[in-house]
Amino acid sequence: EWTGIPYTFALFSMKMKNGCICSSSMGSISINCPTERKTDTLARDMIFSMAEDDENDIWAGTINSGLFKGHINRNASGKMEIEWKDFNKLLPEKTIRSLHIDAKGNIWVGTRYSGLVQLSRDTATGEYVSRIFNRSDGFISDFIKSIISDEDGNIWIGTHAGIEKLIPTENGYRLFSFSKVHNFFATVIKLATG
């Protein structure tokens, strides 16, 4: 039961699986739950995109400082804390513009200059490994503004110049350039399936 109405001046907000609301405002993230609130400064940079994974961890992409994963813990006195892990070593750059987590738990990171990065867990080590998709793979643009997946596991990518689609194959993904096939060229800031 909420004891009050949470208020945050937010750039992005999302409802978490635990019922709390996670919001970003400039360089901070606020987690507003029915009975408590935690505000944490991440990188003193604008948080441009957020996503929650199956472990209830928060992934935050910043405008110039890169990608971070926040794990919510309780300290000795029972108060909420966020432990941050830096994932920039897996990325070609730190200008994150979009994030998406697909049904398999892959983290998809849209960058400003280097295309799309897939972070997936190595089955042997459990550590994340990265794969980059960009213009050298046939993308129409490396400026990735939005990412979404559909029920068939396809990854749809909105770029600064159109729409791309990654179709799952036995060995990864193959590219279908929706924009080139349908002669659709525009900046795509939001995608939806259904």
Side-chain angles (χ1 to χ4, degrees):
E1 224 23 71
W2 286 89
T3 56
I5 298 172
Y7 171 77
T8 302
F9 177 75
L11 181 61
F12 292 102
S13 290
M14 67 178 181
K15 183 177 180 189
M16 298 175 66
K17 295 172 187 132
N18 64 6
C20 297
I21 298 169
C22 181
S23 302
S24 73
S25 175
M26 299 310 285
S28 68
I29 284 187
S30 294
I31 299 175
N32 297 287
C33 299
T35 58
E36 65 182 321
R37 176 183 177 164
K38 171 69 178 172
T39 299
D40 190 87
T41 56
L42 172 60
R44 300 194 193 287
D45 192 8
M46 184 186 305
I47 297 161
F48 212 70
S49 54
M50 294 187 306
E52 180 184 14
D53 66 20
D54 286 338
E55 297 169 357
N56 294 13
D57 291 334
I58 302 162
W59 291 79
T62 66
I63 199 162
N64 290 308
S65 299
L67 179 67
F68 302 88
K69 180 173 90 167
H71 181 71
I72 301 170
N73 290 315
R74 299 274 175 194
N75 64 20
S77 63
K79 292 194 183 252
M80 188 182 342
E81 293 182 334
I82 305 173
E83 177 186 334
W84 292 103
K85 183 174 180 183
D86 185 322
F87 276 81
N88 288 312
K89 67 180 181 191
L90 296 174
L91 303 178
E93 65 169 287
K94 293 183 177 184
T95 56
I96 310 305
R97 297 300 183 260
S98 52
L99 285 173
H100 176 69
I101 301 174
D102 68 19
K104 293 181 180 178
N106 294 308
I107 314 299
W108 296 90
V109 184
T111 68
R112 169 62 181 93
Y113 302 104
S114 301
L116 180 70
V117 180
Q118 176 194 17
L119 299 180
S120 58
R121 290 203 187 251
D122 182 287
T123 54
T125 66
E127 296 294 317
Y128 282 96
V129 295
S130 62
R131 161 79 164 93
I132 300 170
F133 299 88
N134 56 29
R135 289 178 61 124
S136 65
D137 298 300
F139 273 32
I140 198 166
S141 172
D142 285 336
F143 189 165
I144 310 300
K145 300 185 75 67
S146 58
I147 311 160
I148 196 164
S149 54
D150 63 25
E151 60 190 26
D152 296 323
N154 298 308
I155 307 299
W156 293 84
I157 304 104
T159 75
H160 191 65
I163 300 173
E164 306 290 4
K165 178 181 176 184
L166 291 175
I167 301 169
T169 65
E170 190 175 300
N171 299 325
Y173 292 88
R174 73 175 172 84
L175 175 65
F176 173 77
S177 184
F178 181 90
S179 285
K180 290 177 186 173
V181 170
H182 295 284
N183 200 30
F184 173 81
F185 303 100
T187 298
V188 179
I189 59 172
K190 182 80 173 166
L191 290 166
T193 60

